[in-house]
Amino acid sequence: MKLKQQINKTIQQAFDKANINENAMSVSEATKPEFGDYQFNGAMALAKKLGKNPRHIAEMIVENLDLTGILAKAEIAGPGFINLWINPLWIAKQCQIALNDERLGVNKKENPVKVVVDYSGPNMAKQMHVGHLRSTIIGDTLANLLEFLGDEVIRQNHIGDWGTQFGMLIAYLEETGEDGSVCLRDLEQFYKDAKKRFDEDENFANKAREYVVKIQSGDMHCLNLWQKFIDISLGHCEDVYSKLCVKLTRDDVKAESFYNEDLPQVIEDLIKQNLLKESDGAQCVFLEGEEIPVIVQKGDGGYLYATTDLAALRYRANVLGAKRISYVVDARQAGHFKQVFKVAKESGFVPEDVRLEHVAFGMMMDKSGRPFKTRDGGTVKLVDLLDEAVVRAKDTIKEKEGYSEEEVERLAKVIGIGAVKYADLAINRESNYIFNWDKMLSFEGNTSLYMQYAYARIQSIFRKHHGEIKGEIIIGDDLEKRLAVMLLRFEDMLEQAAENAAPNHITAYLYELATLFMRFYERNPILKEGVDEATKMSRLQLADLAAKTIKQGLDILGIEVVDKL
Ligand code: ARG
């Protein structure tokens, strides 16, 4: 349900009736219960424009406002705010409709578009580390969200599988014998060992350099070794994806090497557009207002990260047909994306109407605000971190009795992985993120555990209730009404989250919703003796809708729920 749009329509009707020939601006959610449910703040700007008194304008609007449908009450406040109260009967009916709908009343977009979400993008030379965690989690959520709203989402995993370091790795893979896969079990170590050989042994280093040339010129033997390396390396990433319950598959991989063939053409087309200039032997694009040019070809003929991204951009816009391309990548690459987006538009590689966005995120820090590292200063491997999350989650539920070992395992996974993901998604993505086990595994506060607990609590009500659920939702008191309005805001919130590529809108909403539900449930018992049948039925249904909304929200975040906690 597009709640705001519905209210805006009612206001527009009042404008029309009052002969105000303007478009009514949007209402906003009231910040305090005493301001009603929504607020219209447009009277002031309008008064200025029309040269009239704002309170007078507000009065004109209120006088013509239909208070027999969606709205029940309107009150002028301050210099000309209009506080609006929604009609409880209307709310009850809409909640009922949402409950009977498997999409909970959320419409699919009328004009869906093709969206490419570029996320995860690990580098094959190394084991995935915590730095890739944020991209993977935020990107997957964004993809889920857009998909749920009806867009056609194409996930793209732009893995780094090309570059001079592969010569070294392949030389080492060959040297370690037939079954390199054994050594590759620990990629980090493998990389270090190969680097050591490279630095220490001139013969090895020369061989590595030869391999670079050979791979690039398509030597089959080398390419096979390279492919083997990539396969194993990607397999490691896929273990992480599966632990994380993210939806990336091998089909979503479009590696850097995929664009190799197009790179000479990229250069040629930039030349045709008169965009290239030679500088210190390198081919560069100088952009207006930018000090540093975009280098697209080095003096030795080699291509760069930016060249590949230009090729990827035009592939995505022209071959895949994307109208929105979202790059979920570390904020430190902001300069890179700003520049390649500009070049892509200026060169016509990407049509003007395609929306290009860098969905930037901050770094992951430890409790003391330093970049996240292992105790001995190394990078924390993602697999280790996720395994630790599960172990810690087990500790949290250990005291609970009546669980089989199997159940504990499953629960620990759902809770532990959920906690890591939720904590990451719940902050403004552009801020640096402080990783804190105790906070993320708490039952209190804006955590996945709190959400999972609220969900399970509602399920326990349904386990205790026997018999059919019938009758209507009736909005009894104010708290019940706030809960219901919150439930109806689901679609508006999702739309905002999608527009801003901001998963923390979802977590903030879920937190508010779960908190409201808990308060509602404390005050308004459902199954207690003395609650009349109609009230009980109504509250059961509201609880059901709350649980379903929490579950759907968490599902978009890629977090599971359990019926018992
Ligand atoms: N492999 C890159 C890195 O680890 C991320 C790739 C992001 N995607 C892109 N199209 N550049 O920094």
Side-chain angles (χ1 to χ4, degrees):
M1 128 114 335
K2 294 188 198 303
L3 188 50
K4 267 192 195 171
Q5 205 185 66
Q6 297 291 329
I7 301 169
N8 287 339
K9 250 193 234 160
T10 312
I11 301 214
Q12 187 67 55
Q13 280 162 5
F15 269 48
D16 296 346
K17 265 174 88 184
N19 286 323
I20 305 174
N21 294 320
E22 300 282 336
N23 280 331
M25 323 59 178
S26 176
V27 291
S28 50
E29 280 131 20
T31 47
K32 282 186 188 165
E34 55 267 37
F35 298 159
D37 302 307
Y38 281 82
Q39 240 185 357
F40 179 75
N41 301 335
M44 276 79 76
L46 200 62
K48 211 168 171 191
K49 196 170 165 191
L50 303 177
K52 292 220 165 92
N53 176 313
R55 270 195 88 93
H56 174 66
I57 295 279
E59 272 158 21
M60 270 168 75
I61 298 168
V62 169
E63 268 163 32
N64 288 286
L65 205 55
D66 176 10
L67 297 177
T68 63
I70 299 176
L71 297 175
K73 192 170 109 180
E75 238 173 47
I76 300 172
F81 298 114
I82 305 176
N83 297 340
L84 302 162
W85 280 261
I86 308 182
N87 184 348
L89 289 174
W90 186 84
I91 297 172
K93 196 168 145 223
Q94 298 305 319
C95 283
Q96 199 90 53
I97 293 172
L99 188 59
N100 293 335
D101 175 18
E102 57 171 35
R103 291 181 53 82
L104 308 175
V106 178
N107 300 287
K108 282 209 173 186
K109 265 192 199 166
E110 267 169 40
N111 304 308
V113 290
K114 252 194 203 170
V115 189
V116 162
V117 184
D118 176 317
Y119 67 104
S120 195
N123 299 319
M124 292 299 104
K126 294 188 173 172
Q127 178 100 264
M128 269 178 105
H129 58 78
V130 293
H132 293 111
L133 182 69
R134 303 210 65 200
S135 173
T136 308
I137 294 177
I138 298 170
D140 204 53
T141 293
L142 181 60
N144 290 342
L145 172 61
L146 295 171
E147 224 158 41
F148 182 68
L149 291 176
D151 282 331
E152 190 185 327
V153 175
I154 306 173
R155 292 167 156 83
Q156 292 280 275
N157 193 356
H158 192 81
I159 63 169
D161 68 339
W162 205 248
T164 48
Q165 73 273 33
F166 287 97
M168 173 184 93
L169 293 165
I170 284 156
Y172 191 58
L173 184 62
E174 195 175 52
E175 193 176 88
T176 48
E178 269 300 283
D179 199 8
S181 53
V182 176
C183 316
L184 278 177
R185 201 167 292 149
D186 188 342
L187 281 177
E188 205 74 18
Q189 198 52 46
F190 185 84
Y191 186 86
K192 277 189 200 145
D193 294 345
K195 181 86 172 64
K196 199 162 164 239
R197 291 280 294 124
F198 186 86
D199 292 338
E200 283 172 4
D201 183 342
E202 191 54 30
N203 280 337
F204 180 86
N206 283 334
K207 202 162 175 198
R209 289 188 198 102
E210 271 168 38
Y211 273 151
V212 175
V213 180
K214 278 190 182 168
I215 308 168
Q216 285 175 347
S217 57
D219 176 281
M220 271 335 262
H221 172 66
C222 286
L223 277 181
N224 281 337
L225 279 173
W226 168 78
Q227 190 59 55
K228 189 170 167 190
F229 180 84
I230 301 299
D231 281 345
I232 297 168
S233 192
L234 197 52
H236 286 272
C237 299
E238 281 164 346
D239 289 345
V240 173
Y241 297 153
S242 116
K243 276 188 207 261
L244 270 178
C245 298
V246 299
K247 298 201 182 88
L248 279 174
T249 68
R250 215 159 263 219
D251 290 342
D252 304 317
V253 172
K254 267 289 160 15
E256 288 185 10
S257 63
F258 173 80
Y259 302 99
N260 280 350
E261 270 175 37
D262 192 35
L263 300 182
Q265 195 61 47
V266 167
I267 304 295
E268 220 162 277
D269 291 340
L270 288 172
I271 293 173
K272 267 192 221 146
Q273 302 279 336
N274 252 337
L275 285 168
L276 277 198
K277 259 202 198 105
E278 204 183 299
S279 171
D280 286 336
Q283 294 297 326
C284 304
V285 184
F286 287 87
L287 291 163
E288 229 183 77
E290 304 266 336
E291 263 174 51
I292 309 162
V294 187
I295 307 174
V296 288
Q297 192 171 25
K298 291 186 286 191
D300 65 4
Y303 303 104
L304 294 103
Y305 184 52
T307 330
T308 305
D309 259 328
L310 284 171
L313 270 162
R314 67 174 180 185
Y315 173 80
R316 292 166 181 183
N318 303 326
V319 181
L320 298 180
K323 286 286 169 228
R324 175 176 178 180
I325 311 179
S326 307
Y327 289 81
V328 187
V329 185
D330 191 324
R332 285 171 294 183
Q333 294 192 28
H336 164 77
F337 284 110
K338 191 171 156 226
Q339 288 196 321
V340 291
F341 290 170
K342 249 188 181 171
V343 177
K345 290 265 163 108
E346 263 176 44
S347 58
F349 285 2
V350 171
E352 231 7 271
D353 67 337
V354 175
R355 171 172 167 184
L356 303 178
E357 65 182 350
H358 176 205
V359 179
F361 54 83
M363 279 202 287
M364 196 147 137
M365 310 294 227
D366 64 17
K367 258 197 222 166
S368 49
R370 281 188 290 264
F372 204 78
K373 292 264 155 67
T374 54
R375 221 167 279 160
D376 56 11
T379 42
V380 179
K381 280 179 214 150
L382 211 39
V383 190
D384 296 346
L385 184 95
L386 297 178
D387 290 344
E388 183 171 350
V390 176
V391 171
R392 282 178 183 261
K394 230 181 256 173
D395 280 346
T396 356
I397 47 175
K398 221 173 29 205
E399 301 100 64
K400 299 205 180 246
E401 280 163 28
Y403 285 112
S404 69
E405 214 164 290
E406 231 178 13
E407 274 173 318
V408 171
E409 284 301 320
R410 173 159 160 64
L411 259 183
K413 242 187 91 185
V414 172
I415 293 174
I417 302 295
V420 171
K421 293 177 89 170
Y422 194 97
D424 189 319
L425 294 164
I427 55 149
N428 177 348
R429 63 176 157 74
E430 287 182 69
S431 325
N432 285 342
Y433 155 48
I434 297 181
F435 194 90
N436 181 334
W437 285 118
D438 298 332
K439 218 169 129 192
M440 73 176 72
L441 279 165
S442 166
F443 275 96
E444 303 289 326
N446 189 10
T447 64
S448 59
L449 206 45
Y450 181 64
M451 254 31 87
Q452 287 164 331
Y453 177 66
Y455 178 83
R457 192 153 176 199
I458 300 174
Q459 298 318 303
S460 84
I461 302 172
F462 284 100
R463 274 195 298 279
K464 283 186 211 128
H465 169 76
H466 302 286
E468 209 189 337
I469 297 174
K470 49 185 190 302
E472 284 174 12
I473 294 179
I474 316 153
I475 304 294
D477 62 9
D478 204 46
L479 195 54
E480 208 157 42
K481 189 183 133 189
R482 283 179 55 204
L483 175 64
V485 171
M486 186 57 84
L487 288 165
L488 293 183
R489 280 183 186 167
F490 193 45
E491 180 170 348
D492 282 348
M493 178 281 295
L494 290 177
E495 261 188 5
Q496 260 303 285
E499 180 53 31
N500 301 341
N504 66 322
H505 288 349
I506 306 179
T507 55
Y509 170 87
L510 289 178
Y511 184 45
E512 224 178 315
L513 174 62
T515 309
L516 262 180
F517 177 80
M518 295 295 205
R519 280 180 55 202
F520 155 79
Y521 186 49
E522 260 161 44
R523 228 168 67 184
N524 304 351
I526 298 179
L527 300 179
K528 231 189 192 158
E529 227 163 288
V531 179
D532 69 83
E533 197 59 17
T535 306
K536 181 162 110 185
M537 286 302 163
S538 166
R539 290 179 183 167
L540 274 172
Q541 291 181 79
L542 267 182
D544 195 15
L545 185 57
K548 287 188 164 125
T549 307
I550 292 173
K551 182 169 188 232
Q552 181 59 63
L554 288 177
D555 189 57
I556 291 172
L557 304 177
I559 296 173
E560 294 175 275
V561 289
V562 284
D563 286 345
K564 245 169 85 185
L565 196 70

